[in-house]
Every structure is written in structure tokens, then in C-alpha cells.
Amino acid sequence: MIKKHLTKTLFATTFCATVLMSSFAAQAAVIKSMRFWQSPESTRVVFDLTSPVEHELSVLKNPDRIVVDIPDSRVSVDLNQLEIKSDLVKRVRQSKPPREGVLRLVLDLNKSAVPKSFSLKPYQEYSDRLVIDLLNEKREAIKPPESAVGSNRDIVVAVDAGHGGEDPGALGPSGTREKDIVLKLSKELVDAINAVDGLKAVMVRTGDYYIPHRKRTDIARKNRADLFVSVHADGFKSPKARGASVWVLNLYGAKSEVARWMKLQEEKSELLGGVDSTVVLSEYDNSVRSVLLDLQMESSIAESFKVGRKVHSAMKRVAPKMHKNYVEENSLLVLKNPDIPSILVESGFISNPTEERLLKTSSYRKKLANSVKDGIVEYFKSHAPDGTKFANLYRKNIYHVKRGDSLIKVAKRFNTSVSEIKKANKMNSNTVRIGQKLVIPN
Ligand SMILES: [Zn+2]
């Protein structure tokens, strides 16, 4: 990790590169405000600036603190009045500058943390920003839900509320932010899913903080998710654009992700398919690996389409309009899961006043969340993974023969064949009687 060399001036090793913007001006930059975002693993501190700055970070121990030196700057916010939403950061104070013209801020911490910093350019209502991520030193490993193991396990659905923290997503005409709407909708989806016997939902983002895309899929993988659902709301420059939509990854995006995975495998051999896969990639040579990954990606895309279609048609019953009549494809980064079927739900356009109003209404969101859940249930009823409660509940269909039925009709209805039904029911003849119970094979 980071080595600290304390000198007489209390200046530790600077390990973070300074950032210089081209528009750097001679006049002092002002820190107008500070914001804090807490996630389970880190705290993000954001300095809102009047212009871009250079900076240096130092990590100090006993007590734990981070020193931030910013040349040619001053602070206009009252540091004693900060609303610090963080378990990690105790307070922020100004300290004696190391040399003239340098602003030195000290972040006093409750425990040690590893800092990472970078600059952000103005975006939407935000001006130039300096971001300091403080990662908890001891991070707890994610444990999959208890019900996700065993032979009668729950199917795990990872629900990922898009954006968060510094990334507000799309903006509605009345000021609604996508990150807030989709967090609410995601919670409602989680509740709807958890109300179904045999399903278990986990939230990828639980509060108002940002998670990088690959980290999101990582969280899903560590929770042993069977399905990844990313929840978003669209924004467009024209307020006329409207309609909900369902997206899956296209094959082109998938291929490039396979290539990336391959490269990763060169460096460290990981398990194919996450934590509990039985296939260890390093056992195979490169060409076999690539074929395996290709196959897995293709099957995960095929499954994504199937579940996407179910969710699309379920949402269609609730949403006033679907953007397209079919599941759309894109090479969206958040969907690049080689091993987990993944869909992205755009709940509507919050840039459209009508849809914004709807999405702000909890009764509409609940209806929409329920429809997404219905689509997921529909899919898993016929595609339950082995060893799941769903497989035990729904795989063996019992059909009661009705008037006018014949074996051929029943076989057709359940997408199977007469001989399969006869085999499953140990039948010798083709005749059925009304009220007879037939086991329908999967
Ligand atoms: Zn979005």
C-alpha cells in the first residue's frame, strides 16, 4: 500500500498526480461548497469550484487525516457549517499553508482510508469540481443472500438503480433527477420481487452515491445474481420524446467485452462465470477460453432477450406508451455481463412533462415496478435455473384435461410432443379423458 514518509513539515509522500486544466487562470479559484456522498465502501468528498485547480494529497496517521493542498485558491464556505454526511469524515478545517498562496485543508477522519482524487468538468448544474474518494481500508466481502444457496434456493435478481451521487442522470422539466426517481423505482421493484416466493432481490446501489459500471456488475456477481436489471429514466432534448423501453446488449458489444475479459484473464486467471462456476479458465488454452466465453456471452444474450421480451410485454400493459414495439439492442456498458443475463429498463422520459409527472407518483411507480416483476416471474417460471425453488414449483406442470382436448392439442399448447407427454405419464395409448391429470414435461 501507500508508504508514508513523515518529514519535519508533516508533509507525507504525495502519491496522487496533480491535475492541470488548460483554462487554468491566474486569479484564485474559490471553493464555493463541499458535498459528501457516502456508500457502503467509501465516502466521496466534492469541492465545488469557480475554476479548475491543481491539488496535492497527503495521508497522515495518528490521528488519521487527509491533507489537501490547493495552490492559488481560497475557500468561501463556512467549514464549521458543513453538512457532513459521512461516517468517515469527522470534520474539515483549514490549516497553516505550507507556502504562500496555497490553501491547505485537512479532513479529519474517524478511521484510516485510502484516498483517490480526480477533477470533474462542469456538467448540468455543477461547476468545476475536485473529487476525493476515501475508500474504507477494511472492506467487507459481499456475502450472497443466505437463501441463494442450497437445492431449493431463491433466484437472485440484482436491481441496479442507475447513476447516483455526482452523476444525476437525466433531468426533468420540473427539476426531477433521474438518480432519485430510479432509486425509488428500484426500491419498489425490490419490494415487488421479494414478495414473490422463490425470488430474492438485492439492491446494487442503496443510496445517493455513484458506483462505476463494472463495479455494479461485480456486486451482482458477488451476490450470485441470476439476473441483472438496471433501472433508468430517459432524457432527451425534445420534451416530446416519450415511452418506456427495454434494452439488452447486442452481439457487437458482447464481442468486445469478451475480448476485454480475455485480456484480463491473461493477467490473472479468474473463474469463468463468477464465484461458483465450475470452469476454471486457466485450465484451458486461449482458444478454448475464448470459445467458452463466446458461448457463455451468447447464451447470456439469448436469455437477456427472452427475459427482456417478457418484461417488455408486461410493461406494455401499464405504461401509457412503449418507445418501441420490441426489445432494443445497444452496446451499453452496464449490460456487459458475460455471465449474467442482463436487461436495462428505461422507465420513461423524465424530459417529457407527462411522464415526469407519472414517474414522480408512487402509485404509478408501484404499478410499473410490479409489471417489471411480472415479466421477470413469467420468464423464470419457464426458465428456472436448476436447484431453485422456482424449478421445484413450476417445472412440473400438471394439466387437467378439458372437454375437446386431445394429446396433440395439449402437446401443442405446452410446446412439447405427444411422445414426451406419454413418456412423462407412462401412457400406452393416445386417448385422454376429461379431468385426467397430465404431467407436462419441460
Ligand atoms: Zn440513465
mmCIF file of all heavy atoms in Angstrom, residues 7 27 30 44-45 48 55 69 74 77 89 98 103 173 186 195 203 219 276 342 393 428 441:
data_model
loop_
_atom_site.group_PDB
_atom_site.id
_atom_site.type_symbol
_atom_site.label_atom_id
_atom_site.label_comp_id
_atom_site.label_asym_id
_atom_site.label_seq_id
_atom_site.Cartn_x
_atom_site.Cartn_y
_atom_site.Cartn_z
ATOM 1 N N THR A 7 8.015 14.024 7.246
ATOM 2 C CA THR A 7 9.147 14.929 7.403
ATOM 3 C C THR A 7 8.802 15.934 8.482
ATOM 4 O O THR A 7 7.716 15.904 9.052
ATOM 5 C CB THR A 7 9.429 15.677 6.096
ATOM 6 O OG1 THR A 7 8.346 16.558 5.867
ATOM 7 C CG2 THR A 7 9.572 14.739 4.931
ATOM 8 N N GLN A 27 -6.251 34.130 -11.622
ATOM 9 C CA GLN A 27 -6.964 34.528 -10.405
ATOM 10 C C GLN A 27 -7.326 33.285 -9.573
ATOM 11 O O GLN A 27 -7.449 32.192 -10.100
ATOM 12 C CB GLN A 27 -8.208 35.352 -10.745
ATOM 13 C CG GLN A 27 -9.436 34.556 -11.098
ATOM 14 C CD GLN A 27 -10.054 35.032 -12.406
ATOM 15 O OE1 GLN A 27 -9.366 35.241 -13.390
ATOM 16 N NE2 GLN A 27 -11.348 35.186 -12.407
ATOM 17 N N VAL A 30 -12.156 29.579 -6.190
ATOM 18 C CA VAL A 30 -12.864 29.622 -4.909
ATOM 19 C C VAL A 30 -13.612 28.311 -4.707
ATOM 20 O O VAL A 30 -14.291 27.828 -5.620
ATOM 21 C CB VAL A 30 -13.863 30.812 -4.871
ATOM 22 C CG1 VAL A 30 -14.595 30.846 -3.528
ATOM 23 C CG2 VAL A 30 -13.146 32.122 -5.134
ATOM 24 N N ARG A 44 -17.348 9.946 -0.730
ATOM 25 C CA ARG A 44 -16.884 10.849 -1.771
ATOM 26 C C ARG A 44 -17.039 12.292 -1.282
ATOM 27 O O ARG A 44 -18.122 12.682 -0.847
ATOM 28 C CB ARG A 44 -17.681 10.616 -3.056
ATOM 29 C CG ARG A 44 -17.392 11.654 -4.149
ATOM 30 C CD ARG A 44 -17.899 11.193 -5.490
ATOM 31 N NE ARG A 44 -17.035 10.149 -6.047
ATOM 32 C CZ ARG A 44 -17.108 9.708 -7.313
ATOM 33 N NH1 ARG A 44 -18.018 10.192 -8.129
ATOM 34 N NH2 ARG A 44 -16.292 8.776 -7.736
ATOM 35 N N VAL A 45 -15.948 13.041 -1.329
ATOM 36 C CA VAL A 45 -15.983 14.454 -0.955
ATOM 37 C C VAL A 45 -15.833 15.265 -2.233
ATOM 38 O O VAL A 45 -14.923 15.013 -3.023
ATOM 39 C CB VAL A 45 -14.831 14.801 0.020
ATOM 40 C CG1 VAL A 45 -14.960 16.246 0.492
ATOM 41 C CG2 VAL A 45 -14.820 13.840 1.206
ATOM 42 N N ASP A 48 -16.883 22.077 -4.817
ATOM 43 C CA ASP A 48 -17.411 22.836 -5.953
ATOM 44 C C ASP A 48 -16.571 24.084 -6.129
ATOM 45 O O ASP A 48 -16.399 24.861 -5.187
ATOM 46 C CB ASP A 48 -18.877 23.211 -5.696
ATOM 47 C CG ASP A 48 -19.768 21.984 -5.717
ATOM 48 O OD1 ASP A 48 -19.765 21.269 -6.733
ATOM 49 O OD2 ASP A 48 -20.450 21.731 -4.707
ATOM 50 N N HIS A 55 -3.950 20.073 -7.399
ATOM 51 C CA HIS A 55 -4.027 19.738 -5.974
ATOM 52 C C HIS A 55 -3.013 18.662 -5.623
ATOM 53 O O HIS A 55 -2.546 17.921 -6.494
ATOM 54 C CB HIS A 55 -5.429 19.272 -5.622
ATOM 55 C CG HIS A 55 -5.761 17.926 -6.182
ATOM 56 N ND1 HIS A 55 -6.126 17.742 -7.493
ATOM 57 C CD2 HIS A 55 -5.750 16.696 -5.616
ATOM 58 C CE1 HIS A 55 -6.349 16.456 -7.704
ATOM 59 N NE2 HIS A 55 -6.123 15.799 -6.606
ATOM 60 N N ASP A 69 -3.727 20.118 -0.445
ATOM 61 C CA ASP A 69 -3.115 21.412 -0.750
ATOM 62 C C ASP A 69 -3.558 21.871 -2.124
ATOM 63 O O ASP A 69 -3.400 21.143 -3.109
ATOM 64 C CB ASP A 69 -1.581 21.300 -0.724
ATOM 65 C CG ASP A 69 -1.049 21.217 0.708
ATOM 66 O OD1 ASP A 69 -1.754 21.701 1.619
ATOM 67 O OD2 ASP A 69 0.047 20.661 0.897
ATOM 68 N N ARG A 74 -8.930 29.829 -2.539
ATOM 69 C CA ARG A 74 -9.430 30.163 -1.203
ATOM 70 C C ARG A 74 -10.784 29.494 -1.028
ATOM 71 O O ARG A 74 -11.389 29.008 -1.992
ATOM 72 C CB ARG A 74 -9.507 31.675 -1.017
ATOM 73 C CG ARG A 74 -10.466 32.375 -1.946
ATOM 74 C CD ARG A 74 -10.383 33.888 -1.788
ATOM 75 N NE ARG A 74 -11.275 34.530 -2.751
ATOM 76 C CZ ARG A 74 -12.576 34.709 -2.552
ATOM 77 N NH1 ARG A 74 -13.148 34.322 -1.435
ATOM 78 N NH2 ARG A 74 -13.320 35.286 -3.486
ATOM 79 N N VAL A 77 -16.792 28.829 1.771
ATOM 80 C CA VAL A 77 -17.837 28.160 2.550
ATOM 81 C C VAL A 77 -17.387 28.102 4.014
ATOM 82 O O VAL A 77 -16.195 27.986 4.312
ATOM 83 C CB VAL A 77 -18.116 26.743 1.975
ATOM 84 C CG1 VAL A 77 -16.874 25.877 2.017
ATOM 85 C CG2 VAL A 77 -19.235 26.065 2.707
ATOM 86 N N VAL A 89 -15.633 10.914 7.648
ATOM 87 C CA VAL A 89 -15.065 12.256 7.813
ATOM 88 C C VAL A 89 -15.666 12.926 9.047
ATOM 89 O O VAL A 89 -16.878 13.074 9.157
ATOM 90 C CB VAL A 89 -15.336 13.128 6.560
ATOM 91 C CG1 VAL A 89 -14.713 14.506 6.731
ATOM 92 C CG2 VAL A 89 -14.802 12.440 5.315
ATOM 93 N N PRO A 98 1.503 25.486 3.583
ATOM 94 C CA PRO A 98 2.904 25.081 3.502
ATOM 95 C C PRO A 98 3.765 26.182 2.888
ATOM 96 O O PRO A 98 4.956 26.280 3.168
ATOM 97 C CB PRO A 98 2.866 23.849 2.610
ATOM 98 C CG PRO A 98 1.617 23.988 1.807
ATOM 99 C CD PRO A 98 0.652 24.752 2.642
ATOM 100 N N LEU A 103 -3.763 26.942 -0.429
ATOM 101 C CA LEU A 103 -4.820 26.652 0.540
ATOM 102 C C LEU A 103 -4.600 25.231 1.064
ATOM 103 O O LEU A 103 -4.480 24.296 0.280
ATOM 104 C CB LEU A 103 -6.186 26.757 -0.148
ATOM 105 C CG LEU A 103 -7.393 26.264 0.667
ATOM 106 C CD1 LEU A 103 -7.686 27.200 1.831
ATOM 107 C CD2 LEU A 103 -8.617 26.134 -0.229
ATOM 108 N N PRO A 173 -38.225 18.511 -16.598
ATOM 109 C CA PRO A 173 -38.522 19.948 -16.676
ATOM 110 C C PRO A 173 -38.841 20.563 -15.319
ATOM 111 O O PRO A 173 -38.566 21.730 -15.093
ATOM 112 C CB PRO A 173 -39.727 20.027 -17.619
ATOM 113 C CG PRO A 173 -40.224 18.636 -17.793
ATOM 114 C CD PRO A 173 -39.104 17.706 -17.461
ATOM 115 N N SER A 186 -36.450 1.497 -8.085
ATOM 116 C CA SER A 186 -35.703 0.266 -7.820
ATOM 117 C C SER A 186 -36.104 -0.346 -6.486
ATOM 118 O O SER A 186 -36.240 -1.558 -6.362
ATOM 119 C CB SER A 186 -34.198 0.539 -7.823
ATOM 120 O OG SER A 186 -33.787 0.944 -9.100
ATOM 121 N N ALA A 195 -41.613 -10.051 -2.632
ATOM 122 C CA ALA A 195 -42.926 -10.558 -2.227
ATOM 123 C C ALA A 195 -43.255 -11.872 -2.941
ATOM 124 O O ALA A 195 -44.231 -12.534 -2.599
ATOM 125 C CB ALA A 195 -44.000 -9.508 -2.513
ATOM 126 N N MET A 203 -30.307 -4.944 -3.885
ATOM 127 C CA MET A 203 -30.075 -3.605 -4.430
ATOM 128 C C MET A 203 -28.587 -3.433 -4.693
ATOM 129 O O MET A 203 -27.775 -3.705 -3.814
ATOM 130 C CB MET A 203 -30.496 -2.530 -3.423
ATOM 131 C CG MET A 203 -31.973 -2.361 -3.228
ATOM 132 S SD MET A 203 -32.717 -1.352 -4.521
ATOM 133 C CE MET A 203 -32.410 0.295 -3.911
ATOM 134 N N ILE A 219 -20.851 -6.345 -8.131
ATOM 135 C CA ILE A 219 -21.707 -6.529 -6.951
ATOM 136 C C ILE A 219 -22.759 -7.605 -7.249
ATOM 137 O O ILE A 219 -23.015 -8.485 -6.438
ATOM 138 C CB ILE A 219 -22.382 -5.192 -6.543
ATOM 139 C CG1 ILE A 219 -21.315 -4.227 -6.005
ATOM 140 C CG2 ILE A 219 -23.470 -5.424 -5.504
ATOM 141 C CD1 ILE A 219 -21.812 -2.805 -5.759
ATOM 142 N N ASP A 276 -19.058 -19.080 -8.306
ATOM 143 C CA ASP A 276 -19.302 -20.500 -8.064
ATOM 144 C C ASP A 276 -19.286 -21.333 -9.341
ATOM 145 O O ASP A 276 -19.859 -22.388 -9.413
ATOM 146 C CB ASP A 276 -20.618 -20.701 -7.301
ATOM 147 C CG ASP A 276 -21.788 -20.099 -8.048
ATOM 148 O OD1 ASP A 276 -21.553 -19.457 -9.084
ATOM 149 O OD2 ASP A 276 -22.914 -20.273 -7.615
ATOM 150 N N SER A 342 -28.807 -9.923 -18.582
ATOM 151 C CA SER A 342 -28.963 -8.556 -18.086
ATOM 152 C C SER A 342 -29.899 -7.759 -18.972
ATOM 153 O O SER A 342 -29.824 -7.854 -20.194
ATOM 154 C CB SER A 342 -27.601 -7.846 -18.073
ATOM 155 O OG SER A 342 -26.640 -8.611 -17.394
ATOM 156 N N LEU A 393 -41.149 -25.511 -8.023
ATOM 157 C CA LEU A 393 -42.559 -25.093 -8.052
ATOM 158 C C LEU A 393 -43.182 -25.205 -9.437
ATOM 159 O O LEU A 393 -44.327 -25.595 -9.585
ATOM 160 C CB LEU A 393 -42.678 -23.640 -7.584
ATOM 161 C CG LEU A 393 -42.600 -23.356 -6.089
ATOM 162 C CD1 LEU A 393 -42.530 -21.850 -5.845
ATOM 163 C CD2 LEU A 393 -43.807 -23.948 -5.373
ATOM 164 N N ASN A 428 -49.667 -45.712 -22.486
ATOM 165 C CA ASN A 428 -49.517 -46.594 -23.651
ATOM 166 C C ASN A 428 -50.380 -46.159 -24.823
ATOM 167 O O ASN A 428 -50.027 -46.367 -25.972
ATOM 168 C CB ASN A 428 -49.879 -48.035 -23.283
ATOM 169 C CG ASN A 428 -49.002 -48.545 -22.156
ATOM 170 O OD1 ASN A 428 -47.799 -48.268 -22.134
ATOM 171 N ND2 ASN A 428 -49.598 -49.246 -21.214
ATOM 172 N N PRO A 441 -44.043 -32.350 -19.333
ATOM 173 C CA PRO A 441 -42.584 -32.296 -19.189
ATOM 174 C C PRO A 441 -42.038 -30.943 -19.662
ATOM 175 O O PRO A 441 -42.645 -30.296 -20.499
ATOM 176 C CB PRO A 441 -42.093 -33.421 -20.088
ATOM 177 C CG PRO A 441 -43.162 -33.595 -21.112
ATOM 178 C CD PRO A 441 -44.453 -33.193 -20.472
#
